[in-house]
Amino acid sequence: MERTPEKTEYRKIVLPEAVSEILQRLADAGFEAYAVGGCVRDSLLGKEPEDWDITTSASPENVKRLFSRTVDTGIEHGTVTVLYRQKGYEVTTYRLDGAYEDHRHPKSVTFTGELAEDLRRRDFTINAMAYSEREGLIDLFGGQEDLRQGVIRCVGKPMERFFEDALRILRAVRFCAQLDFSVEEETLCAMKALAGDLRLVSVERVRTELTKLLLSGRPDRLLLMQETGISAIVLPEWDRLLQGRRGEKYRCENAAHQTLQALFALYDVPFYKAAEKKERQILVYTVLLHDCAEHVGAVLRRMKFDNETIGAVTKLVCCYEKHTTIGKDEAYALRLLASRIGTAWMPFLFAVWRAEIATYKPEEASLAFSSLSWHEALFLEIVKRGECVCLKQLAVNGKDLLALGYAPGKQLGGALSALLSVVLHKPEKNRRDTLLLLAERYLEAGEIPENPME
Ligand code: ATP
Ligand code: MG
């Protein structure tokens, strides 16, 4: 294939050794093989690809024959994962996709001997390039030019491509966010025309793209989701937020725009920067949904999130506004929060608070920032001193109270939480003798106080 002169403007693609060896082994056996898709795109942009996918003329059987360790990850779609030097590489046989059933999975997959056919089925021009050391870059649809111009453009006719698989409509927005690109005109028109079809796409696939968008650093592309009618289908909460208003102390009046400012601020919070992907996911969804306290659980369940994410985001959203209500007894307020969400989640709470405060007007923000820093330091002290913030840290346990004559169940549970409440107020009371005495007194009085310190 001819090398185009423009190509030199891009970083040279350097295949990882393992990929180069896999391609070589396939070629030696008489098959064509290329790195393809996201890894080629990212290499040309000078970004480190997350993973390297390989496309080949070899059938899955032949791929399995040529490599000693393989996993049938998606054998019906022609994908075999080759385990090579401690890492996995997806090797997929050239294929054509039939019509997409329910807009979910291609109804039929046909293998083809032609690389061109395999590239034609891919969603966008920038994702439809292949590379090998022998053949150089294969760019049949102007992917390099679109990379240069910063444009997301469908391979082929956008209406047809989105009709085949509506998820591509959301993927277009996701790539715009990740790459800071814009959508080509005809592609944009088709997105608007067919956004309603996203209804037919599985929530898991939608969630994956939405999460990538939120983690991209350009959450303002959520606005493009609204303009194209995507969010009306997959995240109506966002459209509602755009109608909402914020109070005096905020820099911006619109609730959705304030949320975007908070997300931008979140990306700069050191805790976020150091966090793992799963933790970042919890943080971004907490900020995104912080206004939907009543139905955050329902939204997350609708999106079929895992239980840990649902639990964490729900708890964090419920405490999101609490930094404004930390009263005079700050240490108590922090211990109380920790008892509700768990000590491990407190840094998450401080991170989203920091993001939220960054959206205040400067005069309000500086005061709030300094009290936040103070609260963070204070909470570290609380942890260091080992002050009790959960039943596990209480100096007495259920067994102790049963020995005093408490009945298991409601009475026992009530007494334990009353004692916890006492030590949340006064950590020095977390002593076995003190608490046993208190528990005895409750028993004698025949009543367990609900708020023992009031
Ligand atoms: P990322 O860096 O997020 O993984 P990616 O481009 O690798 O981006 P994937 O979802 O991993 O995206 O898909 C790999 C490749 O498969 C894409 O580059 C594209 O060529 C093709 N592809 C993925 N999903 C679709 C789709 N829904 N329709 C058509 N082609 C697709
Ligand atoms: Mg990928």
Side-chain angles (χ1 to χ4, degrees), residues 412-448:
L412 180 68
L416 285 169
S417 50
L419 295 177
L420 177 60
S421 175
V422 168
V423 304
L424 287 175
H425 279 95
K426 299 222 175 296
E428 67 277 11
K429 292 203 185 235
N430 192 24
R431 296 166 45 109
R432 200 176 144 77
D433 49 354
T434 312
L435 296 183
L436 285 177
L437 209 65
L438 259 178
E440 264 176 54
R441 229 183 281 155
Y442 295 160
L443 208 54
E444 274 164 28
E447 198 189 333
I448 296 162

Side-chain angles (χ1 to χ4, degrees), residues 38 51 53 212:
D51 39 40
D53 296 330
K212 285 188 175 182

Side-chain angles (χ1 to χ4, degrees), residues 1 9 138 308 330 341 349 401 414 440 450:
M1 197 128 313
E9 285 180 28
I138 313 291
E308 191 195 14
E330 296 160 309
I341 69 170
L349 198 53
L401 300 199
E440 264 176 54
E450 247 175 65

